[in-house]
C-alpha cells in the first residue's frame, strides 16, 4: 500500500469517532453542529486530494463534489417542508466528500438498511426492551422527530471500515503477489 493511500485511509478513519459523536448528539439533542460537518468535509477533502494525487486524476474528487452539491439541492426542499433537519441535509451532503465516489454504493446500501431500522424503531418502540431508552423513542415518536444523523453516521462508519478493510486486503494481496513473482 502506498503512503498516500495509507494517509487517505487514516484521514477517513479519523472521521469514525467524529461520526459517532454526531450520531450520539443527534440522538440525544436532535442537533448536528456545523463545526462537526465542516470537520468531516475537511477530512474528506484531504483524503480525496491524497487519492487524486496518487491516481493522477481528479475524477473522484470532481465526482464527489458534484454528488455533494446534488444531494444538498435534492434534500433542501425536504428541509423547507420540515421533513428533515438542516443538520441532516448538511451531513448527508458531506458524505460524498468523506466517502469518495468509490464507496458511495456501499454507503447507500448501509444507509438504506440503517434508515429502515431507525424508522421502524421510532414508529414501533414496543420492539425495544422496556426502560428509559424505550420511553425516549416513544417521546421522539410523539414529537414526530427522527434522528436521521444516526443512520447516516452508522452507514458512513460501515462504508469507511469497508474501505479500510478493502485497502488492507488489497495491499496484503499485492504484497503476496509480489512475493510470488
Amino acid at each position: 500500500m502506498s503512503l498516500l493511500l495509507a494517509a487517505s485511509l487514516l484521514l477517513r478513519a479519523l472521521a469514525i469517532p467524529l461520526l459517532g459523536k454526531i450520531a450520539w448528539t443527534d440522538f440525544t439533542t436532535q442537533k448536528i453542529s456545523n463545526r462537526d460537518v465542516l470537520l468531516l468535509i475537511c477530512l474528506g477533502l484531504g483524503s480525496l486530494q491524497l487519492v487524486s494525487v496518487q491516481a493522477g486524476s481528479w475524477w473522484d474528487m470532481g465526482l464527489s463534489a458534484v454528488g455533494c452539491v446534488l444531494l444538498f439541492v435534492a434534500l433542501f426542499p425536504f428541509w423547507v417542508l420540515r421533513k428533515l433537519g438542516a443538520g441532516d441535509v448538511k451531513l448527508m451532503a458531506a458524505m460524498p466528500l468523506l466517502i469518495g465516489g468509490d464507496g458511495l454504493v456501499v454507503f447507500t446500501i448501509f444507509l438504506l438498511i440503517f434508515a429502515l431500522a431507525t424508522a421502524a424503531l421510532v414508529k414501533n418502540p414496543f420492539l425495544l426492551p422496556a426502560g428509559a431508552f424505550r420511553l425516549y423513542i416513544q417521546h421522539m415518536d410523539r414529537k414526530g422527530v427522527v434522528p436521521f444523523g444516526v443512520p447516516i453516521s452508522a452507514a458512513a462508519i460501515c462504508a469507511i471500515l469497508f474501505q479500510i478493510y478493502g485497502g488492507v486486503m488489497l495491499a496484503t494481496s499485492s504484497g503476496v503477489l509480489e512475493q510470488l513473482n
Side-chain angles (χ1 to χ4, degrees):
M1 180 183 321
S2 75
L3 186 59
L4 290 175
L5 182 59
S8 171
L9 292 176
L10 177 63
L11 285 176
R12 289 182 184 170
L14 288 173
I16 291 174
L18 181 58
L19 287 163
K21 176 187 176 252
I22 289 170
W24 180 252
T25 304
D26 191 36
F27 181 75
T28 56
T29 65
Q30 288 78 50
K31 301 255 186 257
I32 298 174
S33 83
N34 291 337
R35 180 193 47 166
D36 291 343
V37 173
L38 185 59
L39 187 53
L40 282 178
I41 290 171
C42 291
L43 288 170
L45 285 174
S47 175
L48 283 173
Q49 187 170 13
L50 291 171
V51 168
S52 296
V53 168
Q54 169 78 26
S57 169
W58 297 94
W59 173 253
D60 196 35
M61 189 173 233
L63 181 65
S64 296
V66 168
C68 174
V69 171
L70 287 176
L71 273 172
F72 186 80
V73 169
L75 294 175
F76 187 77
F78 292 99
W79 172 74
V80 171
L81 296 172
R82 300 286 185 233
K83 300 296 181 189
L84 280 175
D88 298 325
V89 172
K90 290 179 279 191
L91 179 63
M92 190 64 192
M95 287 300 109
L97 298 174
L98 180 65
I99 304 298
D102 59 339
L104 286 179
V105 172
V106 172
F107 170 75
T108 303
I109 292 168
F110 279 120
L111 181 60
L112 178 63
I113 292 166
F114 289 128
L116 289 174
T118 301
L121 287 176
V122 168
K123 292 299 176 189
N124 301 305
F126 59 86
L127 295 173
L128 296 170
F133 189 73
R134 185 173 177 183
L135 292 174
Y136 187 75
I137 295 290
Q138 289 172 340
H139 170 71
M140 283 192 298
D141 184 38
R142 281 192 302 276
K143 285 178 59 178
V145 297
V146 177
F148 284 116
V150 175
I152 294 169
S153 296
I157 289 170
C158 290
I160 290 169
L161 291 174
F162 194 82
Q163 288 173 331
I164 291 170
Y165 179 73
V168 169
M169 292 304 295
L170 181 64
T172 304
S173 64
S174 322
V176 169
L177 290 175
E178 287 175 7
Q179 288 177 357
L180 291 176
N181 289 332

